[in-house]
Amino acid sequence: MRVLIVKTSSMGDVVHALPAVSDLLRWRPDVVVDWVVEDAFASIPAMHRGVTQVHALKWRYWRKHLADQATWSAMREFRAQLRLHEYDLVIDLQGLVKSAFWGRQAHGPLAGYDRLSLREPLAAYFYQQHAAVSRSLGAVTRCRQLVAAHMNYDVPTAPADFGLRLHHHHAWAVPGPYAVLIPGASRPEKNWPADRWQVVAQTLAAQGLTPVVFWGSSSQAQQAQTLAASCQGLVPPFLSVAQAASVLARAQLVVGLDTGFSHLAAALGRPTLAIYCDHDPGLAGLTGSNWVRSVGGKQQVPALDSVLSLLAQHMAAA
């Protein structure tokens, strides 16, 4: 049996879908699982021990260049690659019109949420099979329930298994114990005040952990340098997702905003604290096998004392 998972973006959403594959393969170890994902995040499903082939989609680029002939040629090539296999089932875990559209390009019946379970109900018209999954559930649980419903097994009660295995991209190493800080986000609404980051970094440094500050853009690079200078921290060069995963996996602690790397750190089993300033963590909070905490919420910027208190509790227990 061959199953295609469609979960294209963003990084945290792709991470949230991984346990559903682990559940499926625990029930049917003989199933071959492939995955459609945005090119920038292709290394994440590739790290899952049960994913056979990753189809890297470049929709984020293509949609901005639809007037170019090269774009249509690339989309036709991607569709041809997707159709090299016959799939017994294609499961759209994204639940958007764009993901449903690309799911329909594969050979095989397309399954997804029912209309009432979707943020974009129009996507349901693309599906041949539908399942009701409450929108009030967390992201990881929704993915696990949808795959279980379409593959006809009971939703496992065991904790989420992200199934990650590292390919050891040791492009950058840190001597001694360290903590990773992720103070940059894709939207300014997600940011936490810089002076509070400095206190957190200095607190961790006082505990003997070298602060390692991640960044993802030129503006974030300057922010990272300023933060590192305040605490004798380190700033890595630009890291690919796979390289960043290798650094995260060896960290003693990770403190980040509501970003994909924070969710990846938790999935890798690292103690992780996520700071939410523009989103409710109830539906997309951190999930992991180690100590994880999500603090803040929609227009609820966490106080510095709240963050320091949680870190103190963890360090005392550790």
Side-chain angles (χ1 to χ4, degrees):
M1 187 175 190
R2 197 172 196 114
V3 173
L4 179 65
I5 298 295
V6 181
K7 187 74 163 179
T8 63
S9 61
S10 290
M11 187 191 301
D13 296 326
V14 175
V15 171
H16 294 155
L18 295 170
V21 174
S22 301
D23 293 344
L24 170 59
L25 293 174
R26 189 176 296 111
W27 174 69
R28 281 282 301 272
D30 59 315
V31 174
V32 175
V33 179
D34 296 343
W35 195 306
V36 174
V37 66
E38 189 69 34
D39 181 65
F41 313 123
S43 59
I44 295 176
M47 285 189 284
H48 192 289
R49 59 178 179 265
V51 174
T52 300
Q53 184 175 3
V54 176
H55 298 283
L57 178 71
K58 295 185 178 181
W59 177 241
R60 287 185 170 183
Y61 174 83
W62 292 338
R63 69 185 182 187
K64 298 176 183 178
H65 299 85
L66 291 176
D68 298 344
Q69 184 59 40
T71 296
W72 291 94
S73 177
M75 289 195 292
R76 285 193 295 270
E77 183 178 341
F78 178 82
R79 183 173 183 267
Q81 178 196 43
L82 206 55
R83 289 178 161 241
L84 290 176
H85 297 292
E86 292 275 354
Y87 289 102
D88 296 280
L89 193 63
V90 181
I91 307 177
D92 177 17
L93 291 180
Q94 192 95 31
L96 301 177
V97 171
K98 68 171 184 179
S99 55
F101 170 80
W102 286 109
R104 284 295 294 265
Q105 306 313 304
H107 274 307
L110 180 60
Y113 299 97
D114 72 3
R115 188 175 59 84
L116 297 179
S117 306
L118 288 165
R119 191 177 71 194
E120 294 185 6
L122 183 61
Y125 291 100
F126 287 84
Y127 306 143
Q128 284 85 44
Q129 299 180 29
H130 303 82
V133 179
S134 172
R135 294 181 62 183
S136 66
L137 298 172
V140 172
T141 302
R142 268 174 59 86
C143 290
R144 296 179 76 180
Q145 287 203 3
L146 185 67
V147 174
H150 286 300
M151 296 300 294
N152 298 311
Y153 60 85
D154 293 332
V155 180
T157 57
D161 173 13
F162 289 86
L164 291 170
R165 57 177 184 198
L166 291 183
H167 300 300
H168 302 294
H169 292 264
H170 295 303
W172 191 77
V174 185
Y178 62 91
V180 171
L181 303 182
I182 312 170
S186 57
R187 301 198 319 271
E189 295 84 3
K190 287 188 172 185
N191 288 334
W192 199 50
D195 58 338
R196 300 183 192 181
W197 277 112
Q198 290 185 4
V199 176
V200 169
Q202 292 163 3
T203 300
L204 296 176
Q207 294 291 323
L209 298 175
T210 300
V212 172
V213 188
F214 273 21
W215 59 278
S217 66
S218 57
S219 61
Q220 290 179 16
Q222 181 57 54
Q223 176 190 21
Q225 292 289 352
T226 301
L227 178 56
S230 73
C231 60
Q232 296 184 317
L234 299 174
V235 179
F238 183 81
L239 301 173
S240 68
V241 173
Q243 291 167 341
S246 182
V247 176
L248 290 169
R250 301 194 302 274
Q252 273 63 49
L253 179 65
V254 178
V255 183
L257 296 177
D258 171 25
T259 70
F261 282 126
S262 298
H263 291 281
L264 181 58
L268 287 165
R270 306 320 303 145
T272 308
L273 170 63
I275 298 170
Y276 288 71
C277 300
D278 189 52
H279 193 73
D280 178 12
L283 300 181
L286 294 184
T287 302
S289 58
N290 208 318
W291 179 86
V292 295
R293 296 292 186 274
S294 304
V295 59
K298 183 72 172 178
Q299 298 179 343
Q300 297 177 20
V301 179
L304 175 61
D305 287 347
S306 299
V307 172
L308 293 178
S309 176
L310 288 170
L311 291 176
Q313 292 173 23
H314 167 68
M315 288 186 285

